[in-house]
Amino acid sequence: EDKVVQSPLSLVVHEGDTVTLNCSYEVTNFRSLLWYKQEKKAPTFLFMLTSSGIEKKSGRLSSILDKKELFSILNITATQTGDSAVYLCAVLNTNAGKSTFGDGTTLTVKP
Amino acid sequence: DAGITQSPRHKVTETGTPVTLRCHQTENHRYMYWYRQDPGHGLRLIHYSYGVKDTDKGEVSDGYSVSRSKTEDFLLTLESATSSQTSVYFCAISESPGLSGANVLTFGAGSRLTVL
């Protein structure tokens, strides 16, 4: 059975701090790993990663995948209160055509 | 949530009653999914569909059934609701992951179900 484990489960930081969120996985027939952000409503897409070592960036957020060690990290630099959310990691099993999610990391950024 | 709508958005019902949640999309995406989200958990897949009348079970399918008679509609039914099915239910859609190599999910706004 496919498995995704995120750590830490929750994190409290102050504005301006840098945070690193972790996602490890076990999945047969890996196709891609995706990060989503959820702010009290539906999750929204952040990044899709399919190849090892290629960093994806969007403003202060970046992510990278290691397919050998089976993990990904999501970095947020110079955090802002608007970054407060649950960050979800999901992996796609191509054969099944479905995504398996981790339990998420709840990030709280204090002013 | 343009392109995908869920109804009802909120529902309170009693144990033992049937409940149907509806997901409607205007994107013509092939894949549709029903997830539930509970405190301390991420999203857990209930059922999904890869085409009209083609459905399969997810990791928490017991007590749920689905139907997809048209590309745009995916119904989730609780035949006899239980308190353990109190949750927030999200519908999601995606294009064919095998063709695109990805599976970016677009989510509906969610349906909050309370079973008393």
Side-chain angles (χ1 to χ4, degrees), chain B residues 4-25:
Chain B
I4 178 170
T5 56
Q6 293 184 227
S7 59
R9 294 289 313 280
H10 300 273
K11 185 172 182 65
V12 180
T13 191
E14 294 188 349
T15 298
T17 59
V19 176
T20 295
L21 305 179
R22 178 177 182 247
C23 179
H24 178 79
Q25 61 145 331

Side-chain angles (χ1 to χ4, degrees), chain A residues 47 55-63:
Chain A
F47 296 113
E55 185 181 47
K56 292 288 185 85
K57 292 198 71 169
S58 177
R60 296 175 293 101
L61 279 66
S62 63
S63 184

Side-chain angles (χ1 to χ4, degrees), chain B residues 78-92:
Chain B
L78 292 65
E79 300 291 348
S80 178
T82 67
S83 58
S84 65
Q85 292 176 312
T86 292
S87 188
V88 178
Y89 292 85
F90 285 101
C91 176

Side-chain angles (χ1 to χ4, degrees), chain B residues 3-8 20-26 31-34 67-68 70-76 90-93 106-109 111:
Chain B
I4 178 170
T5 56
Q6 293 184 227
S7 59
T20 295
L21 305 179
R22 178 177 182 247
C23 179
H24 178 79
Q25 61 145 331
T26 58
Y31 280 70
M32 298 186 75
Y33 307 81
W34 277 108
S67 66
R68 191 166 179 202
K70 298 184 291 185
T71 297
E72 57 267 35
D73 289 325
F74 192 33
L75 303 181
L76 176 70
F90 285 101
C91 176
I93 61 175
T106 301
F107 288 87
S111 295

Side-chain angles (χ1 to χ4, degrees), chain B residues 48-66:
Chain B
Y48 68 105
S49 170
Y50 45 95
V52 174
K53 297 192 189 306
D54 291 323
T55 65
D56 204 351
K57 297 179 179 180
E59 59 185 304
V60 290
S61 59
D62 288 348
Y64 302 94
S65 63
V66 290

